[in-house]
Amino acid sequence: MTEPMIRMLLRGLGETMVMTFGSGIFGFVLGLPLGAVLFLTRPEGVLEHKIVYRLVSAVVNVFRSIPFIILIVWMIPFTRIVAGTSIGVLAALVPLSVGAAPFVSRMVENSLLEVPHGLIEAARAMGATPLQIVWKVLLPEALPSLVNGASITLIALVGYSAMGGAVGAGGLGQIGYQYGYVGYDTVVMNTVLVLLVGLVFLIQWLGHMISRKTDHRK
Amino acid sequence: MIELKNVSKKFYKKRAVVSALSDISLRVAEGEIFGVIGSSGAGKSTLIRCINLLERPTAGQVIVDGKDLGGLTPQQLTLARRDIGMIFQHFNLLSSRTVAQNIAFPLELSHTPKKDIDRRVKELLTLVGLESKAQDHPVSLSGGQKQRVAIARTLASHPRVLLCDEATSALDPETTLSILSLLKDINHRMGITILLITHEMNVVRAICDKVAVISEGRLIEEGEVNEVFARPRTELTRRFISSAQHFVLASGDGLVLNKEGGGYD
């Protein structure tokens, strides 16, 4: 492999990481509050509210059912408004974040459901406001599970970002597509695969470690 | 201090209406330890949860420390709850926080300055005898120690009333005694009014001044503990009394097991 080739692969790895972690962060910024709203307003929830729950739930389901490759194309006009362009890493962050947010919100809802109900009740009895229940009880108690969910999300995003590569998002996906599918260079294609596998392993390992560190239940 | 006026609670299931409490009225005077005893399913848990409105009564009034809780806005109710302590059968400690942080929790809720929190936490750790466990997580504590942390936590905000929801039901007899004597001590020293629910007559006998018997959502008997023990008026009360494995209050300040005649009595 030539030096320019190696440099290109490293840049691709960098771009993939920026897309994965960048959209992961934005996905959480959007998805975490949505997940908390789903949990709080669900039937029998702390702030039970049928209309809000059904509305948010429906929006989340709609976005989750759009295949990612179509979401990218469908969102191009919006992406142009937000990022100024529809090509490149920065532009890819827009559909990736929007794709991740509903996924994250369901995952957050599930993690919060695992928190023993007695803890919420005790917090209510001590005079905690709904916001304090979320900040001081639900999120800290669900942290190990949220971290696990975050690594699942990030791994899914590695795959999504590679898919984005097919339509000009850059990153390892684009290199793999151009050199592998279009040019059929097996060395480059396999190197891309090895790098992607390595990235997934790294995320999984980090997630596992952080989750264990934050878990005081056993 | 606590007054229930004609409180009823109905649960609306898919088709049926379940009446958990029917027309309950009771008064707990300031500084008193009041026990409500009943079998499982009698409605005692619903009753105690109606007092801080974790469960909203379908009808009737709940008055705590002169405030009609049913008439408060959600914000006012949140504040009123900070004056009503509660401990639970399964302790409900936050697993992500250390013992000291658990005790600090209610003080954080009311935005107490950090310095005052530290001082208060220290006081409470001493009160419940867990100074050495301050930095441990609840998972490493025994059941009795967990309940002590829960008691310290609920006392942190200086409540005037303490609700005990089967607080000793998950504990062994010896630990039960130590927790009961701690509750008695708190009641004595701080004048906190205690309302407890239990299915064990020995708990009532050990620390309560007054007792009410609940069955199928109704109070069927009520009076001074000595009086009720001496002259039970209903069959159910007689059964509770005879099934009781007595705890005997020692002449000193603690409670001891009376092991004469096998068992605990």
Side-chain angles (χ1 to χ4, degrees):
Chain A
M1 219 186 298
T2 60
E3 210 202 293
M5 195 67 99
I6 293 175
R7 219 176 295 144
M8 183 186 70
L9 282 167
L10 285 179
R11 207 189 59 221
L13 179 64
E15 284 174 356
T16 294
M17 285 171 80
V18 169
M19 283 191 278
T20 303
F21 291 101
S23 62
I25 290 168
F26 286 125
F28 257 84
V29 168
L30 292 170
L32 195 69
L34 279 178
V37 167
L38 283 172
F39 176 82
L40 292 173
T41 58
R42 75 194 332 273
E44 313 257 303
V46 179
L47 293 173
E48 181 174 351
H49 198 297
K50 268 198 190 109
I51 300 167
V52 172
Y53 181 75
R54 285 202 188 140
L55 201 77
V56 176
S57 193
V59 170
V60 164
N61 286 345
V62 165
F63 273 87
R64 283 198 67 189
S65 46
I66 303 175
F68 184 65
I69 195 87
I70 295 172
L71 184 75
I72 299 175
V73 179
W74 185 68
M75 280 190 64
I76 284 176
F78 180 74
T79 306
R80 284 217 180 97
I81 295 172
V82 177
T85 168
S86 65
I87 299 168
V89 174
L90 195 66
L93 282 176
V94 178
L96 280 171
S97 305
V98 172
F103 185 80
V104 170
S105 67
R106 282 295 178 205
M107 198 201 68
V108 168
E109 184 189 13
N110 270 317
S111 290
L112 299 185
L113 279 170
E114 283 170 29
V115 175
H117 187 71
L119 297 185
I120 299 166
E121 192 157 284
R124 285 177 65 208
M126 282 185 274
T129 62
L131 207 63
Q132 285 175 325
I133 292 177
V134 173
W135 274 114
K136 290 183 175 288
V137 180
L138 292 172
L139 294 181
E141 288 292 314
L143 192 59
S145 160
L146 288 171
V147 169
N148 277 330
S151 36
I152 293 172
T153 308
L154 288 174
I155 287 168
L157 282 170
V158 170
Y160 282 3
S161 73
M163 243 189 268
V167 289
L172 288 175
Q174 183 157 358
I175 297 170
Y177 175 77
Q178 274 172 1
Y179 287 78
Y181 180 70
V182 182
Y184 215 77
D185 180 333
T186 42
V187 178
V188 173
M189 189 168 63
N190 287 329
T191 312
V192 164
L193 286 182
V194 168
L195 288 174
L196 286 174
V197 169
L199 185 57
V200 167
F201 268 71
L202 179 76
I203 292 170
Q204 186 65 65
W205 176 75
L206 275 174
H208 218 77
M209 209 178 62
I210 298 172
S211 171
R212 230 183 29 213
K213 276 250 159 70
T214 54
D215 194 348
H216 298 289
R217 288 171 299 186
K218 45 186 175 286
Chain B
M1 197 65 184
I2 303 175
E3 193 175 357
L4 301 185
K5 283 186 187 165
N6 310 102
V7 166
S8 298
K9 173 74 189 177
K10 293 186 172 78
F11 288 105
Y12 296 92
K13 296 276 157 88
K14 269 188 187 120
R15 291 236 162 92
V17 178
V18 183
S19 188
L21 298 175
S22 315
D23 199 26
I24 296 224
S25 295
L26 66 80
R27 283 180 88 104
V28 183
E30 185 163 1
E32 213 167 48
I33 303 186
F34 194 106
V36 176
I37 186 165
S39 326
S40 50
K44 55 188 190 303
S45 238
T46 309
L47 175 67
I48 201 162
R49 292 156 50 82
C50 276
I51 293 168
N52 56 6
L53 258 53
L54 285 178
E55 211 72 79
R56 232 165 233 282
T58 322
Q61 269 183 310
V62 179
I63 299 161
V64 179
D65 201 8
K67 273 183 242 152
D68 181 354
L69 298 187
L72 301 180
T73 64
Q75 288 79 4
Q76 289 171 325
L77 177 62
T78 296
L79 293 180
R81 279 180 178 148
R82 293 182 185 165
D83 297 327
I84 307 173
M86 190 171 196
I87 56 174
F88 304 85
Q89 180 174 5
H90 297 296
F91 325 122
N92 293 341
L93 298 176
L94 297 167
S95 71
S96 56
R97 290 176 167 237
T98 63
V99 166
Q101 289 167 340
N102 262 286
I103 298 173
F105 181 78
L107 299 171
E108 289 175 23
L109 296 183
S110 55
H111 306 288
T112 310
K114 175 95 175 57
K115 237 171 71 196
D116 298 345
I117 292 184
D118 291 345
R119 186 162 29 84
R120 184 81 182 124
V121 168
K122 219 175 228 162
E123 270 170 38
L124 288 159
L125 281 167
T126 313
L127 175 79
V128 299
L130 289 174
E131 298 98 319
S132 62
K133 302 282 182 190
Q135 299 313 319
D136 292 8
H137 279 90
V139 68
S140 64
L141 304 181
S142 69
Q145 289 170 331
K146 283 182 191 163
Q147 198 58 289
R148 281 171 184 272
V149 177
I151 290 170
R153 176 175 71 172
T154 207
L155 291 179
S157 51
H158 298 283
R160 308 208 45 207
V161 171
L162 177 57
L163 307 175
C164 307
D165 184 357
E166 296 272 12
T168 58
S169 298
L171 305 174
D172 61 60
E174 206 115 9
T175 315
T176 295
L177 281 179
S178 82
I179 294 297
L180 291 178
S181 73
L182 176 61
L183 290 174
K184 183 101 194 167
D185 184 48
I186 289 163
N187 164 262
H188 233 72
R189 295 215 309 223
M190 307 175 189
I192 293 180
T193 309
I194 298 180
L195 187 138
L196 63 85
I197 61 160
T198 180
H199 61 270
E200 291 174 298
M201 204 56 167
N202 45 29
V203 169
V204 170
R205 183 175 171 133
I207 65 166
C208 293
D209 304 312
K210 281 195 184 152
V211 63
V213 182
I214 187 170
S215 172
E216 293 174 1
R218 292 170 194 282
L219 292 187
I220 57 169
E221 187 158 358
E222 194 190 326
E224 304 275 336
V225 170
N226 294 337
E227 191 63 22
V228 171
F229 266 81
R231 278 178 291 279
R233 291 199 307 268
T234 61
E235 179 53 34
L236 182 68
T237 311
R238 264 190 288 276
R239 261 190 287 146
F240 273 125
I241 292 170
S242 68
S243 72
Q245 303 173 316
H246 306 150
F247 290 118
V248 175
L249 205 50
S251 51
D253 45 11
L255 297 161
V256 291
L257 291 169
N258 180 1
K259 293 204 166 136
E260 271 169 47
Y264 295 107
D265 191 358

